[in-house]
PDB file of all heavy atoms in Angstrom:
ATOM      1  N   ALA A 167      -8.417   0.869  12.457  1.00 97.00           N
ATOM      2  CA  ALA A 167      -9.533   0.776  11.509  1.00 97.00           C
ATOM      3  C   ALA A 167     -10.417   2.018  11.594  1.00 97.00           C
ATOM      4  O   ALA A 167     -10.777   2.615  10.567  1.00 97.00           O
ATOM      5  CB  ALA A 167     -10.350  -0.485  11.774  1.00 97.00           C
ATOM      6  N   THR A 168     -10.744   2.426  12.807  1.00 97.00           N
ATOM      7  CA  THR A 168     -11.601   3.601  12.990  1.00 97.00           C
ATOM      8  C   THR A 168     -10.937   4.863  12.463  1.00 97.00           C
ATOM      9  O   THR A 168     -11.581   5.686  11.806  1.00 97.00           O
ATOM     10  CB  THR A 168     -11.971   3.763  14.477  1.00 97.00           C
ATOM     11  OG1 THR A 168     -12.618   2.566  14.924  1.00 97.00           O
ATOM     12  CG2 THR A 168     -12.890   4.950  14.691  1.00 97.00           C
ATOM     13  N   GLN A 169      -9.651   5.036  12.732  1.00 98.00           N
ATOM     14  CA  GLN A 169      -8.923   6.209  12.243  1.00 98.00           C
ATOM     15  C   GLN A 169      -9.008   6.296  10.717  1.00 98.00           C
ATOM     16  O   GLN A 169      -9.279   7.361  10.163  1.00 98.00           O
ATOM     17  CB  GLN A 169      -7.465   6.157  12.677  1.00 98.00           C
ATOM     18  CG  GLN A 169      -6.640   7.325  12.154  1.00 98.00           C
ATOM     19  CD  GLN A 169      -5.189   7.272  12.605  1.00 98.00           C
ATOM     20  OE1 GLN A 169      -4.783   6.421  13.380  1.00 98.00           O
ATOM     21  NE2 GLN A 169      -4.403   8.204  12.121  1.00 98.00           N
ATOM     22  N   ASN A 170      -8.817   5.182  10.048  1.00 96.00           N
ATOM     23  CA  ASN A 170      -8.866   5.188   8.584  1.00 96.00           C
ATOM     24  C   ASN A 170     -10.274   5.391   8.058  1.00 96.00           C
ATOM     25  O   ASN A 170     -10.469   6.087   7.056  1.00 96.00           O
ATOM     26  CB  ASN A 170      -8.246   3.907   8.032  1.00 96.00           C
ATOM     27  CG  ASN A 170      -6.746   4.016   7.999  1.00 96.00           C
ATOM     28  OD1 ASN A 170      -6.172   4.531   7.058  1.00 96.00           O
ATOM     29  ND2 ASN A 170      -6.094   3.574   9.064  1.00 96.00           N
ATOM     30  N   ILE A 171     -11.247   4.825   8.714  1.00 97.00           N
ATOM     31  CA  ILE A 171     -12.639   5.023   8.294  1.00 97.00           C
ATOM     32  C   ILE A 171     -13.031   6.489   8.460  1.00 97.00           C
ATOM     33  O   ILE A 171     -13.664   7.081   7.582  1.00 97.00           O
ATOM     34  CB  ILE A 171     -13.582   4.079   9.067  1.00 97.00           C
ATOM     35  CG1 ILE A 171     -13.329   2.635   8.630  1.00 97.00           C
ATOM     36  CG2 ILE A 171     -15.041   4.468   8.872  1.00 97.00           C
ATOM     37  CD1 ILE A 171     -13.950   1.583   9.532  1.00 97.00           C
ATOM     38  N   VAL A 172     -12.635   7.103   9.568  1.00 98.00           N
ATOM     39  CA  VAL A 172     -12.934   8.522   9.792  1.00 98.00           C
ATOM     40  C   VAL A 172     -12.228   9.388   8.749  1.00 98.00           C
ATOM     41  O   VAL A 172     -12.835  10.299   8.178  1.00 98.00           O
ATOM     42  CB  VAL A 172     -12.557   8.944  11.232  1.00 98.00           C
ATOM     43  CG1 VAL A 172     -12.621  10.457  11.401  1.00 98.00           C
ATOM     44  CG2 VAL A 172     -13.471   8.254  12.242  1.00 98.00           C
ATOM     45  N   GLN A 173     -10.959   9.108   8.460  1.00 98.00           N
ATOM     46  CA  GLN A 173     -10.248   9.878   7.442  1.00 98.00           C
ATOM     47  C   GLN A 173     -10.903   9.717   6.077  1.00 98.00           C
ATOM     48  O   GLN A 173     -10.993  10.689   5.310  1.00 98.00           O
ATOM     49  CB  GLN A 173      -8.783   9.454   7.368  1.00 98.00           C
ATOM     50  CG  GLN A 173      -7.950   9.963   8.509  1.00 98.00           C
ATOM     51  CD  GLN A 173      -6.490   9.569   8.382  1.00 98.00           C
ATOM     52  OE1 GLN A 173      -6.121   8.672   7.618  1.00 98.00           O
ATOM     53  NE2 GLN A 173      -5.640  10.222   9.144  1.00 98.00           N
ATOM     54  N   CYS A 174     -11.356   8.535   5.771  1.00 96.00           N
ATOM     55  CA  CYS A 174     -12.033   8.274   4.503  1.00 96.00           C
ATOM     56  C   CYS A 174     -13.318   9.104   4.410  1.00 96.00           C
ATOM     57  O   CYS A 174     -13.595   9.739   3.392  1.00 96.00           O
ATOM     58  CB  CYS A 174     -12.336   6.778   4.395  1.00 96.00           C
ATOM     59  SG  CYS A 174     -13.033   6.261   2.834  1.00 96.00           S
ATOM     60  N   TYR A 175     -14.081   9.111   5.487  1.00 97.00           N
ATOM     61  CA  TYR A 175     -15.325   9.884   5.541  1.00 97.00           C
ATOM     62  C   TYR A 175     -15.041  11.384   5.406  1.00 97.00           C
ATOM     63  O   TYR A 175     -15.689  12.086   4.635  1.00 97.00           O
ATOM     64  CB  TYR A 175     -16.068   9.587   6.848  1.00 97.00           C
ATOM     65  CG  TYR A 175     -17.278  10.452   7.059  1.00 97.00           C
ATOM     66  CD1 TYR A 175     -18.458  10.209   6.372  1.00 97.00           C
ATOM     67  CD2 TYR A 175     -17.237  11.537   7.932  1.00 97.00           C
ATOM     68  CE1 TYR A 175     -19.565  11.015   6.548  1.00 97.00           C
ATOM     69  CE2 TYR A 175     -18.333  12.349   8.120  1.00 97.00           C
ATOM     70  CZ  TYR A 175     -19.498  12.084   7.425  1.00 97.00           C
ATOM     71  OH  TYR A 175     -20.593  12.898   7.605  1.00 97.00           O
ATOM     72  N   VAL A 176     -14.047  11.872   6.147  1.00 98.00           N
ATOM     73  CA  VAL A 176     -13.700  13.294   6.110  1.00 98.00           C
ATOM     74  C   VAL A 176     -13.213  13.689   4.719  1.00 98.00           C
ATOM     75  O   VAL A 176     -13.578  14.756   4.201  1.00 98.00           O
ATOM     76  CB  VAL A 176     -12.666  13.638   7.208  1.00 98.00           C
ATOM     77  CG1 VAL A 176     -12.115  15.048   7.040  1.00 98.00           C
ATOM     78  CG2 VAL A 176     -13.289  13.474   8.589  1.00 98.00           C
ATOM     79  N   ALA A 177     -12.411  12.844   4.093  1.00 97.00           N
ATOM     80  CA  ALA A 177     -11.941  13.128   2.734  1.00 97.00           C
ATOM     81  C   ALA A 177     -13.124  13.242   1.774  1.00 97.00           C
ATOM     82  O   ALA A 177     -13.168  14.141   0.921  1.00 97.00           O
ATOM     83  CB  ALA A 177     -10.974  12.051   2.257  1.00 97.00           C
ATOM     84  N   TYR A 178     -14.094  12.371   1.927  1.00 97.00           N
ATOM     85  CA  TYR A 178     -15.262  12.424   1.057  1.00 97.00           C
ATOM     86  C   TYR A 178     -16.094  13.682   1.327  1.00 97.00           C
ATOM     87  O   TYR A 178     -16.542  14.351   0.397  1.00 97.00           O
ATOM     88  CB  TYR A 178     -16.115  11.169   1.210  1.00 97.00           C
ATOM     89  CG  TYR A 178     -17.263  11.138   0.239  1.00 97.00           C
ATOM     90  CD1 TYR A 178     -17.030  10.852  -1.103  1.00 97.00           C
ATOM     91  CD2 TYR A 178     -18.548  11.431   0.651  1.00 97.00           C
ATOM     92  CE1 TYR A 178     -18.069  10.860  -2.016  1.00 97.00           C
ATOM     93  CE2 TYR A 178     -19.597  11.443  -0.257  1.00 97.00           C
ATOM     94  CZ  TYR A 178     -19.355  11.152  -1.591  1.00 97.00           C
ATOM     95  OH  TYR A 178     -20.394  11.169  -2.490  1.00 97.00           O
ATOM     96  N   ARG A 179     -16.271  14.010   2.608  1.00 97.00           N
ATOM     97  CA  ARG A 179     -17.064  15.193   2.969  1.00 97.00           C
ATOM     98  C   ARG A 179     -16.393  16.495   2.526  1.00 97.00           C
ATOM     99  O   ARG A 179     -17.067  17.397   2.034  1.00 97.00           O
ATOM    100  CB  ARG A 179     -17.315  15.231   4.482  1.00 97.00           C
ATOM    101  CG  ARG A 179     -18.226  14.148   5.003  1.00 97.00           C
ATOM    102  CD  ARG A 179     -19.641  14.369   4.661  1.00 97.00           C
ATOM    103  NE  ARG A 179     -20.104  15.583   5.324  1.00 97.00           N
ATOM    104  CZ  ARG A 179     -21.276  16.134   5.127  1.00 97.00           C
ATOM    105  NH1 ARG A 179     -22.119  15.592   4.303  1.00 97.00           N
ATOM    106  NH2 ARG A 179     -21.612  17.228   5.750  1.00 97.00           N
ATOM    107  N   LEU A 180     -15.088  16.592   2.711  1.00 97.00           N
ATOM    108  CA  LEU A 180     -14.385  17.835   2.390  1.00 97.00           C
ATOM    109  C   LEU A 180     -14.063  17.979   0.906  1.00 97.00           C
ATOM    110  O   LEU A 180     -14.049  19.089   0.377  1.00 97.00           O
ATOM    111  CB  LEU A 180     -13.080  17.943   3.190  1.00 97.00           C
ATOM    112  CG  LEU A 180     -13.213  18.107   4.699  1.00 97.00           C
ATOM    113  CD1 LEU A 180     -11.838  18.102   5.354  1.00 97.00           C
ATOM    114  CD2 LEU A 180     -13.975  19.382   5.049  1.00 97.00           C
ATOM    115  N   LEU A 181     -13.775  16.854   0.251  1.00 96.00           N
ATOM    116  CA  LEU A 181     -13.293  16.911  -1.132  1.00 96.00           C
ATOM    117  C   LEU A 181     -14.241  16.273  -2.150  1.00 96.00           C
ATOM    118  O   LEU A 181     -14.060  16.464  -3.351  1.00 96.00           O
ATOM    119  CB  LEU A 181     -11.927  16.222  -1.226  1.00 96.00           C
ATOM    120  CG  LEU A 181     -10.827  16.830  -0.364  1.00 96.00           C
ATOM    121  CD1 LEU A 181      -9.645  15.867  -0.235  1.00 96.00           C
ATOM    122  CD2 LEU A 181     -10.386  18.161  -0.944  1.00 96.00           C
TER     123      LEU A 181
END
Side-chain angles (χ1 to χ4, degrees):
T168 303
Q169 178 179 355
N170 279 275
I171 291 166
V172 170
Q173 285 182 344
C174 185
Y175 174 77
V176 170
Y178 185 75
R179 292 286 296 173
L180 293 176
L181 300 165

